[in-house]
PDB file of all heavy atoms in Angstrom:
ATOM      1  N   ARG A   5      44.248  -6.067   5.074  1.00  0.00           N
ATOM      2  CA  ARG A   5      43.276  -6.790   4.242  1.00  0.00           C
ATOM      3  C   ARG A   5      43.285  -8.244   4.656  1.00  0.00           C
ATOM      4  O   ARG A   5      44.346  -8.862   4.732  1.00  0.00           O
ATOM      5  CB  ARG A   5      43.649  -6.667   2.762  1.00  0.00           C
ATOM      6  CG  ARG A   5      42.813  -7.578   1.843  1.00  0.00           C
ATOM      7  CD  ARG A   5      41.552  -6.916   1.368  1.00  0.00           C
ATOM      8  NE  ARG A   5      40.660  -7.875   0.777  1.00  0.00           N
ATOM      9  CZ  ARG A   5      39.792  -7.616  -0.182  1.00  0.00           C
ATOM     10  NH1 ARG A   5      39.697  -6.408  -0.661  1.00  0.00           N
ATOM     11  NH2 ARG A   5      39.005  -8.529  -0.663  1.00  0.00           N
ATOM     12  N   LEU A  10      40.176 -18.908  -1.653  1.00  0.00           N
ATOM     13  CA  LEU A  10      38.791 -19.181  -2.007  1.00  0.00           C
ATOM     14  C   LEU A  10      38.621 -20.604  -2.520  1.00  0.00           C
ATOM     15  O   LEU A  10      39.224 -20.990  -3.506  1.00  0.00           O
ATOM     16  CB  LEU A  10      38.333 -18.202  -3.093  1.00  0.00           C
ATOM     17  CG  LEU A  10      36.920 -18.415  -3.596  1.00  0.00           C
ATOM     18  CD1 LEU A  10      35.926 -18.180  -2.473  1.00  0.00           C
ATOM     19  CD2 LEU A  10      36.624 -17.487  -4.752  1.00  0.00           C
ATOM     20  N   PHE A 278      29.269  -3.117  -6.244  1.00  0.00           N
ATOM     21  CA  PHE A 278      30.590  -3.593  -5.853  1.00  0.00           C
ATOM     22  C   PHE A 278      30.951  -4.907  -6.534  1.00  0.00           C
ATOM     23  O   PHE A 278      32.115  -5.319  -6.490  1.00  0.00           O
ATOM     24  CB  PHE A 278      30.655  -3.754  -4.328  1.00  0.00           C
ATOM     25  CG  PHE A 278      30.424  -2.464  -3.585  1.00  0.00           C
ATOM     26  CD1 PHE A 278      29.308  -2.298  -2.768  1.00  0.00           C
ATOM     27  CD2 PHE A 278      31.307  -1.407  -3.713  1.00  0.00           C
ATOM     28  CE1 PHE A 278      29.086  -1.114  -2.089  1.00  0.00           C
ATOM     29  CE2 PHE A 278      31.100  -0.208  -3.036  1.00  0.00           C
ATOM     30  CZ  PHE A 278      29.983  -0.057  -2.224  1.00  0.00           C
ATOM     31  N   THR A 279      29.975  -5.573  -7.168  1.00  0.00           N
ATOM     32  CA  THR A 279      30.306  -6.794  -7.906  1.00  0.00           C
ATOM     33  C   THR A 279      31.167  -6.481  -9.127  1.00  0.00           C
ATOM     34  O   THR A 279      31.815  -7.374  -9.674  1.00  0.00           O
ATOM     35  CB  THR A 279      29.047  -7.545  -8.372  1.00  0.00           C
ATOM     36  OG1 THR A 279      28.345  -6.750  -9.341  1.00  0.00           O
ATOM     37  CG2 THR A 279      28.126  -7.853  -7.200  1.00  0.00           C
ATOM     38  N   LYS A 280      31.173  -5.225  -9.571  1.00  0.00           N
ATOM     39  CA  LYS A 280      31.936  -4.844 -10.761  1.00  0.00           C
ATOM     40  C   LYS A 280      33.391  -4.512 -10.438  1.00  0.00           C
ATOM     41  O   LYS A 280      34.192  -4.290 -11.345  1.00  0.00           O
ATOM     42  CB  LYS A 280      31.275  -3.630 -11.436  1.00  0.00           C
ATOM     43  CG  LYS A 280      29.872  -3.903 -11.960  1.00  0.00           C
ATOM     44  CD  LYS A 280      29.879  -4.933 -13.078  1.00  0.00           C
ATOM     45  CE  LYS A 280      28.552  -5.006 -13.817  1.00  0.00           C
ATOM     46  NZ  LYS A 280      27.468  -5.538 -12.981  1.00  0.00           N
ATOM     47  N   ARG A 281      33.753  -4.449  -9.160  1.00  0.00           N
ATOM     48  CA  ARG A 281      35.151  -4.193  -8.804  1.00  0.00           C
ATOM     49  C   ARG A 281      35.997  -5.407  -9.206  1.00  0.00           C
ATOM     50  O   ARG A 281      35.700  -6.535  -8.809  1.00  0.00           O
ATOM     51  CB  ARG A 281      35.314  -3.946  -7.304  1.00  0.00           C
ATOM     52  CG  ARG A 281      34.580  -2.739  -6.779  1.00  0.00           C
ATOM     53  CD  ARG A 281      34.827  -2.564  -5.279  1.00  0.00           C
ATOM     54  NE  ARG A 281      36.150  -2.034  -5.006  1.00  0.00           N
ATOM     55  CZ  ARG A 281      37.022  -2.566  -4.163  1.00  0.00           C
ATOM     56  NH1 ARG A 281      36.715  -3.688  -3.525  1.00  0.00           N
ATOM     57  NH2 ARG A 281      38.193  -2.003  -3.961  1.00  0.00           N
ATOM     58  N   PRO A 282      37.057  -5.212 -10.000  1.00  0.00           N
ATOM     59  CA  PRO A 282      37.886  -6.355 -10.401  1.00  0.00           C
ATOM     60  C   PRO A 282      38.409  -7.156  -9.215  1.00  0.00           C
ATOM     61  O   PRO A 282      38.542  -8.376  -9.296  1.00  0.00           O
ATOM     62  CB  PRO A 282      39.034  -5.694 -11.171  1.00  0.00           C
ATOM     63  CG  PRO A 282      38.479  -4.385 -11.642  1.00  0.00           C
ATOM     64  CD  PRO A 282      37.531  -3.932 -10.579  1.00  0.00           C
ATOM     65  N   GLU A 283      38.661  -6.469  -8.107  1.00  0.00           N
ATOM     66  CA  GLU A 283      39.192  -7.146  -6.924  1.00  0.00           C
ATOM     67  C   GLU A 283      38.198  -8.137  -6.326  1.00  0.00           C
ATOM     68  O   GLU A 283      38.574  -9.000  -5.523  1.00  0.00           O
ATOM     69  CB  GLU A 283      39.563  -6.116  -5.844  1.00  0.00           C
ATOM     70  CG  GLU A 283      40.537  -5.045  -6.300  1.00  0.00           C
ATOM     71  CD  GLU A 283      39.829  -3.777  -6.773  1.00  0.00           C
ATOM     72  OE1 GLU A 283      38.784  -3.897  -7.483  1.00  0.00           O
ATOM     73  OE2 GLU A 283      40.295  -2.685  -6.434  1.00  0.00           O
ATOM     74  N   ASN A 284      36.922  -8.006  -6.705  1.00  0.00           N
ATOM     75  CA  ASN A 284      35.879  -8.853  -6.107  1.00  0.00           C
ATOM     76  C   ASN A 284      35.506 -10.052  -6.969  1.00  0.00           C
ATOM     77  O   ASN A 284      34.512 -10.734  -6.683  1.00  0.00           O
ATOM     78  CB  ASN A 284      34.621  -8.017  -5.843  1.00  0.00           C
ATOM     79  CG  ASN A 284      34.802  -7.078  -4.665  1.00  0.00           C
ATOM     80  OD1 ASN A 284      35.716  -7.232  -3.863  1.00  0.00           O
ATOM     81  ND2 ASN A 284      33.929  -6.085  -4.552  1.00  0.00           N
ATOM     82  N   ALA A 285      36.282 -10.336  -8.006  1.00  0.00           N
ATOM     83  CA  ALA A 285      35.925 -11.441  -8.906  1.00  0.00           C
ATOM     84  C   ALA A 285      35.814 -12.768  -8.152  1.00  0.00           C
ATOM     85  O   ALA A 285      34.875 -13.547  -8.369  1.00  0.00           O
ATOM     86  CB  ALA A 285      36.960 -11.551 -10.029  1.00  0.00           C
ATOM     87  N   SER A 286      36.749 -13.038  -7.254  1.00  0.00           N
ATOM     88  CA  SER A 286      36.699 -14.304  -6.519  1.00  0.00           C
ATOM     89  C   SER A 286      35.530 -14.324  -5.538  1.00  0.00           C
ATOM     90  O   SER A 286      34.951 -15.392  -5.272  1.00  0.00           O
ATOM     91  CB  SER A 286      38.014 -14.541  -5.770  1.00  0.00           C
ATOM     92  OG  SER A 286      38.236 -13.537  -4.798  1.00  0.00           O
ATOM     93  N   ILE A 287      35.162 -13.158  -5.003  1.00  0.00           N
ATOM     94  CA  ILE A 287      34.025 -13.085  -4.081  1.00  0.00           C
ATOM     95  C   ILE A 287      32.727 -13.353  -4.839  1.00  0.00           C
ATOM     96  O   ILE A 287      31.864 -14.104  -4.370  1.00  0.00           O
ATOM     97  CB  ILE A 287      33.980 -11.718  -3.379  1.00  0.00           C
ATOM     98  CG1 ILE A 287      35.221 -11.537  -2.508  1.00  0.00           C
ATOM     99  CG2 ILE A 287      32.711 -11.568  -2.549  1.00  0.00           C
ATOM    100  CD1 ILE A 287      35.342 -10.161  -1.891  1.00  0.00           C
ATOM    101  N   VAL A 288      32.586 -12.755  -6.013  1.00  0.00           N
ATOM    102  CA  VAL A 288      31.398 -12.993  -6.840  1.00  0.00           C
ATOM    103  C   VAL A 288      31.293 -14.478  -7.176  1.00  0.00           C
ATOM    104  O   VAL A 288      30.203 -15.068  -7.125  1.00  0.00           O
ATOM    105  CB  VAL A 288      31.448 -12.129  -8.115  1.00  0.00           C
ATOM    106  CG1 VAL A 288      30.323 -12.521  -9.074  1.00  0.00           C
ATOM    107  CG2 VAL A 288      31.333 -10.643  -7.762  1.00  0.00           C
ATOM    108  N   LYS A 289      32.425 -15.091  -7.493  1.00  0.00           N
ATOM    109  CA  LYS A 289      32.419 -16.531  -7.808  1.00  0.00           C
ATOM    110  C   LYS A 289      31.977 -17.349  -6.591  1.00  0.00           C
ATOM    111  O   LYS A 289      31.255 -18.346  -6.722  1.00  0.00           O
ATOM    112  CB  LYS A 289      33.800 -16.979  -8.270  1.00  0.00           C
ATOM    113  CG  LYS A 289      33.836 -18.446  -8.717  1.00  0.00           C
ATOM    114  CD  LYS A 289      35.192 -18.828  -9.270  1.00  0.00           C
ATOM    115  CE  LYS A 289      35.175 -20.243  -9.837  1.00  0.00           C
ATOM    116  NZ  LYS A 289      34.795 -21.266  -8.845  1.00  0.00           N
ATOM    117  N   ALA A 290      32.388 -16.918  -5.397  1.00  0.00           N
ATOM    118  CA  ALA A 290      31.974 -17.628  -4.187  1.00  0.00           C
ATOM    119  C   ALA A 290      30.460 -17.576  -4.004  1.00  0.00           C
ATOM    120  O   ALA A 290      29.835 -18.570  -3.630  1.00  0.00           O
ATOM    121  CB  ALA A 290      32.680 -17.045  -2.972  1.00  0.00           C
ATOM    122  N   PHE A 291      29.867 -16.412  -4.263  1.00  0.00           N
ATOM    123  CA  PHE A 291      28.407 -16.311  -4.227  1.00  0.00           C
ATOM    124  C   PHE A 291      27.782 -17.281  -5.227  1.00  0.00           C
ATOM    125  O   PHE A 291      26.853 -18.022  -4.910  1.00  0.00           O
ATOM    126  CB  PHE A 291      27.964 -14.894  -4.572  1.00  0.00           C
ATOM    127  CG  PHE A 291      27.948 -13.925  -3.423  1.00  0.00           C
ATOM    128  CD1 PHE A 291      29.061 -13.171  -3.121  1.00  0.00           C
ATOM    129  CD2 PHE A 291      26.812 -13.750  -2.660  1.00  0.00           C
ATOM    130  CE1 PHE A 291      29.056 -12.252  -2.079  1.00  0.00           C
ATOM    131  CE2 PHE A 291      26.782 -12.849  -1.607  1.00  0.00           C
ATOM    132  CZ  PHE A 291      27.913 -12.098  -1.316  1.00  0.00           C
ATOM    133  N   GLN A 292      28.291 -17.251  -6.446  1.00  0.00           N
ATOM    134  CA  GLN A 292      27.725 -18.074  -7.505  1.00  0.00           C
ATOM    135  C   GLN A 292      27.884 -19.558  -7.201  1.00  0.00           C
ATOM    136  O   GLN A 292      26.960 -20.353  -7.420  1.00  0.00           O
ATOM    137  CB  GLN A 292      28.374 -17.711  -8.839  1.00  0.00           C
ATOM    138  CG  GLN A 292      28.049 -16.299  -9.293  1.00  0.00           C
ATOM    139  CD  GLN A 292      28.904 -15.827 -10.462  1.00  0.00           C
ATOM    140  OE1 GLN A 292      29.973 -16.404 -10.741  1.00  0.00           O
ATOM    141  NE2 GLN A 292      28.466 -14.780 -11.137  1.00  0.00           N
ATOM    142  N   ASP A 293      29.046 -19.958  -6.691  1.00  0.00           N
ATOM    143  CA  ASP A 293      29.276 -21.363  -6.351  1.00  0.00           C
ATOM    144  C   ASP A 293      28.317 -21.835  -5.270  1.00  0.00           C
ATOM    145  O   ASP A 293      27.919 -23.010  -5.241  1.00  0.00           O
ATOM    146  CB  ASP A 293      30.726 -21.573  -5.887  1.00  0.00           C
ATOM    147  CG  ASP A 293      31.727 -21.460  -7.025  1.00  0.00           C
ATOM    148  OD1 ASP A 293      31.290 -21.454  -8.196  1.00  0.00           O
ATOM    149  OD2 ASP A 293      32.932 -21.352  -6.743  1.00  0.00           O
ATOM    150  N   PRO A 298      24.834 -12.294  -5.684  1.00  0.00           N
ATOM    151  CA  PRO A 298      25.660 -11.220  -5.131  1.00  0.00           C
ATOM    152  C   PRO A 298      25.143  -9.825  -5.454  1.00  0.00           C
ATOM    153  O   PRO A 298      25.666  -8.832  -4.936  1.00  0.00           O
ATOM    154  CB  PRO A 298      27.014 -11.449  -5.809  1.00  0.00           C
ATOM    155  CG  PRO A 298      26.646 -11.989  -7.156  1.00  0.00           C
ATOM    156  CD  PRO A 298      25.410 -12.844  -6.933  1.00  0.00           C
ATOM    157  N   MET A 304      27.231  -7.167  -0.467  1.00  0.00           N
ATOM    158  CA  MET A 304      28.641  -6.831  -0.275  1.00  0.00           C
ATOM    159  C   MET A 304      28.903  -6.108   1.050  1.00  0.00           C
ATOM    160  O   MET A 304      29.906  -6.394   1.717  1.00  0.00           O
ATOM    161  CB  MET A 304      29.167  -6.030  -1.457  1.00  0.00           C
ATOM    162  CG  MET A 304      29.333  -6.850  -2.724  1.00  0.00           C
ATOM    163  SD  MET A 304      30.490  -8.231  -2.534  1.00  0.00           S
ATOM    164  CE  MET A 304      30.490  -8.887  -4.204  1.00  0.00           C
ATOM    165  N   ALA A 339      35.625  -5.714   0.466  1.00  0.00           N
ATOM    166  CA  ALA A 339      34.772  -5.915  -0.713  1.00  0.00           C
ATOM    167  C   ALA A 339      34.084  -4.635  -1.156  1.00  0.00           C
ATOM    168  O   ALA A 339      33.720  -4.493  -2.326  1.00  0.00           O
ATOM    169  CB  ALA A 339      33.736  -6.999  -0.429  1.00  0.00           C
TER     170      ALA A 339
END
Side-chain angles (χ1 to χ4, degrees):
R5 171 89 193 210
L10 178 64
F278 299 115
T279 66
K280 297 295 192 292
R281 298 181 75 232
E283 304 95 318
N284 287 344
S286 63
I287 296 174
V288 172
K289 184 176 186 301
F291 275 90
Q292 294 168 342
D293 289 348
M304 288 300 183

